[in-house]
């Protein structure tokens, strides 16, 4: 009798364990299936590389995506996103937030040189690349993370200082061998999602920024005067029939050979109010004012509304305009 009772208890325990194992396996299997299922989102409609921080971007038909950011060829010259940056006389970064006229400086490749054009100025040219030994090495910071750059010389420094009517400005180039900004050294929860391989030059926060055409359309329908994509300076635009701001819920993004991870929403600042063709800030602080009415997450970003998503790279690769875009989504539990 005792042996029969013990056997029944053991049988019950074994059956319970087996049931739990099968249930957990089923949940795990569902999680994996839902996590890994790819969904068609649209097509890549624009690629933009910004050689110099806060200056005009260059549209590309194709590009390479590396952990450090976007790379593309212009007239056979290889350019990297935000490889140059203006420095103040105090050694701090200068952007169009403080000097909106920076937006009007147009970089172009002329032979083996980078040419800069600006209203009322004769063009100036500088080398397309520098070595560590070609100029003074400056240590500076971009949003609290340290980074280095090589000084591009007096001629272009005086040209930019004259145009912006601000003495003592310098132009830095992020040469091979200079220290990158290590994103996982950052203190925010977003930085903690990055890896040791996620290192960038002079980009604001993360290597890539993506927006959807449907989000732009939705915003412009709410504005009295439409704004351009260039107000937001994305690297990638996606043409999609998905709802506006659907990109908020994307987890992974597959474009061409490249795979990206959605790190965070892109919280927006006063730079979006600078007209990309005039270099003048909007008197009513649009589109920020309108975005604040329906795109605020005050707990995370205070009064900075969100538009677009910031990406890091999972798999490097090549892409081109017209490539299909696939995504995975955040899991939605019942």
């Amino acid at each position: 009798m005792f042996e029969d009772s013990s056997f029944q208890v053991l049988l019950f325990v074994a059956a319970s364990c087996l049931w739990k194992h099968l249930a957990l396996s089923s949940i795990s299997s569902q999680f994996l299936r839902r996590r890994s299922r790819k969904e068609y989102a649209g097509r890549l409609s624009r690629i933009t590389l910004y050689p110099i921080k806060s200056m005009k971007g260059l549209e590309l038909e194709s590009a390479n995506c590396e952990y450090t950011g976007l790379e593309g060829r212009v007239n056979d010259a290889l350019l990297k996103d935000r490889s140059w940056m203006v420095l103040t006389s105090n050694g701090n970064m200068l952007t169009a937030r403080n000097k909106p006229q920076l937006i009007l400086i147009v970089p172009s490749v002329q032979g083996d040189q980078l040419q800069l054009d600006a209203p009322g100025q004769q063009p100036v040219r500088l080398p397309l690349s520098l070595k560590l030994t070609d100029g003074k090495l400056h240590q500076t910071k971009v949003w609290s993370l340290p980074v280095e750059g090589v000084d591009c010389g007096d001629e272009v420094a005086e040209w930019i200082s004259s145009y912006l009517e601000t003495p003592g400005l310098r132009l830095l180039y992020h040469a091979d061998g200079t220290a990158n900004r290590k994103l996982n050294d950052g203190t925010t929860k977003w930085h903690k999602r990055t890896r040791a391989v996620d290192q960038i030059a002079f980009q604001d926060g993360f290597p890539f920024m993506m927006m959807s055409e449907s989000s732009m359309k939705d915003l412009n329908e709410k504005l009295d005067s439409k704004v351009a994509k260039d107000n937001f300076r994305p690297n990638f635009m996606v043409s999609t029939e998905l709802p506006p701001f659907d990109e908020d819920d994307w987890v992974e993004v597959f474009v061409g050979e490249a795979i990206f991870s959605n790190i965070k929403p892109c919280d927006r600042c006063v730079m979006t109010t600078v007209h990309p063709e005039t270099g003048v800030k909007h008197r009513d602080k649009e589109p920020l004012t309108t975005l604040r009415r329906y795109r605020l997450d005050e707990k995370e970003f205070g009064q900075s509304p969100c538009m677009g998503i910031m990406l890091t790279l999972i798999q490097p690769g090549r892409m081109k305009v017209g490539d299909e875009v696939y995504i995975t989504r955040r899991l939605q539990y019942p």
Side-chain angles (χ1 to χ4, degrees):
M1 182 75 175
F2 178 78
E3 290 181 357
D4 289 345
S5 176
S6 298
F7 177 76
Q8 288 174 353
V9 170
L10 288 172
L11 187 62
F12 175 78
V13 171
S16 298
C17 290
L18 179 61
W19 183 86
K20 289 180 180 178
H21 173 74
L22 290 174
L24 288 172
S25 295
S26 175
I27 292 170
S28 177
S29 177
Q30 290 178 33
F31 175 87
L32 289 171
R33 283 201 304 271
R34 294 181 70 184
R35 180 67 176 78
S36 63
R37 185 183 300 132
K38 288 199 293 185
E39 171 189 340
Y40 175 75
R43 290 186 179 272
L44 189 66
S45 57
R46 191 169 94 157
I47 303 172
T48 310
L49 184 149
Y50 301 88
I52 306 179
K53 189 174 183 68
S54 281
M55 298 187 190
K56 287 279 188 185
L58 303 176
E59 290 194 33
L60 306 175
E61 287 300 312
S62 62
N64 287 324
C65 298
E66 301 294 339
Y67 292 110
T68 50
L70 198 62
E71 298 183 0
R73 291 200 170 271
V74 178
N75 296 339
D76 293 327
L78 180 65
L79 297 178
K80 299 180 181 181
D81 197 50
R82 276 86 170 190
S83 288
W84 286 269
M85 180 176 74
V86 179
L87 207 63
T88 68
S89 59
N90 294 326
N92 300 317
M93 72 171 181
L94 182 72
T95 73
R97 296 174 183 86
N98 314 105
K99 292 289 182 179
Q101 307 97 309
L102 269 172
I103 289 283
L104 303 182
I105 300 179
V106 181
S108 62
V109 174
Q110 305 294 334
D112 61 351
Q113 294 184 309
L114 188 72
Q115 177 170 303
L116 304 184
D117 290 271
Q121 297 279 109
Q122 290 296 314
V124 67
R125 292 187 179 186
L126 59 147
L128 276 168
S129 65
L130 295 172
K131 299 190 293 294
L132 279 171
T133 55
D134 288 339
K136 180 182 177 181
L137 187 65
H138 293 267
Q139 281 82 32
T140 185
K141 290 183 178 181
V142 175
W143 303 122
S144 79
L145 290 177
V147 67
E148 293 179 336
V150 175
D151 194 293
C152 293
D154 292 338
E155 183 181 7
V156 69
E158 291 168 4
W159 185 90
I160 295 174
S161 296
S162 172
Y163 170 63
L164 295 178
E165 299 179 343
T166 306
L169 301 180
R170 308 301 298 183
L171 185 66
L172 299 189
Y173 175 70
H174 191 71
D176 290 342
T178 51
N180 292 324
R181 284 161 61 219
K182 299 178 180 179
L183 295 182
N184 64 352
D185 283 349
T187 58
T188 71
K189 70 177 185 180
W190 316 110
H191 289 104
K192 299 308 178 187
R193 294 180 180 179
T194 64
R195 303 156 300 164
V197 74
D198 296 319
Q199 300 185 22
I200 58 176
F202 301 135
Q203 296 99 319
D204 248 17
F206 295 88
F208 309 94
M209 201 273 282
M210 176 178 282
M211 285 174 35
S212 74
E213 302 277 3
S214 62
S215 299
M216 274 299 304
K217 182 174 182 292
D218 181 79
L219 171 62
N220 275 322
E221 287 173 350
K222 293 175 170 62
L223 295 170
D224 292 332
S225 299
K226 293 184 178 181
V227 294
K229 300 162 190 172
D230 292 333
N231 283 70
F232 297 94
R233 300 173 68 82
N235 294 116
F236 309 125
M237 290 297 300
V238 177
S239 176
T240 180
E241 294 184 5
L242 293 172
F245 306 103
D246 189 75
E247 58 267 33
D248 293 349
D249 293 325
W250 299 354
V251 175
E252 297 160 325
V253 185
F254 304 76
V255 190
E257 300 170 347
I259 305 174
F260 303 91
S261 175
N262 179 4
I263 290 292
K264 66 181 287 290
C266 185
D267 49 313
R268 295 301 182 166
C269 68
V270 69
M271 194 157 164
T272 61
T273 70
V274 179
H275 195 293
E277 301 303 324
T278 65
V280 176
K281 291 180 179 178
H282 195 283
R283 63 182 182 181
D284 296 324
K285 298 182 180 179
E286 292 291 10
L288 274 186
T289 301
T290 295
L291 281 172
R292 284 184 179 130
R293 294 182 190 139
Y294 73 119
R295 291 294 298 167
L296 275 184
D297 182 345
E298 293 188 57
K299 181 180 178 182
E300 293 288 358
F301 305 111
Q303 289 299 301
S304 298
C306 295
M307 180 96 171
I309 53 177
M310 306 299 289
L311 308 173
T312 56
L313 199 60
I314 297 173
Q315 174 179 295
R318 190 160 182 78
M319 61 166 58
K320 64 182 185 300
V321 171
D323 276 346
E324 294 182 333
V325 177
Y326 290 86
I327 60 165
T328 59
R329 292 185 176 277
R330 299 187 192 283
L331 291 170
Q332 299 295 325
Y333 294 104

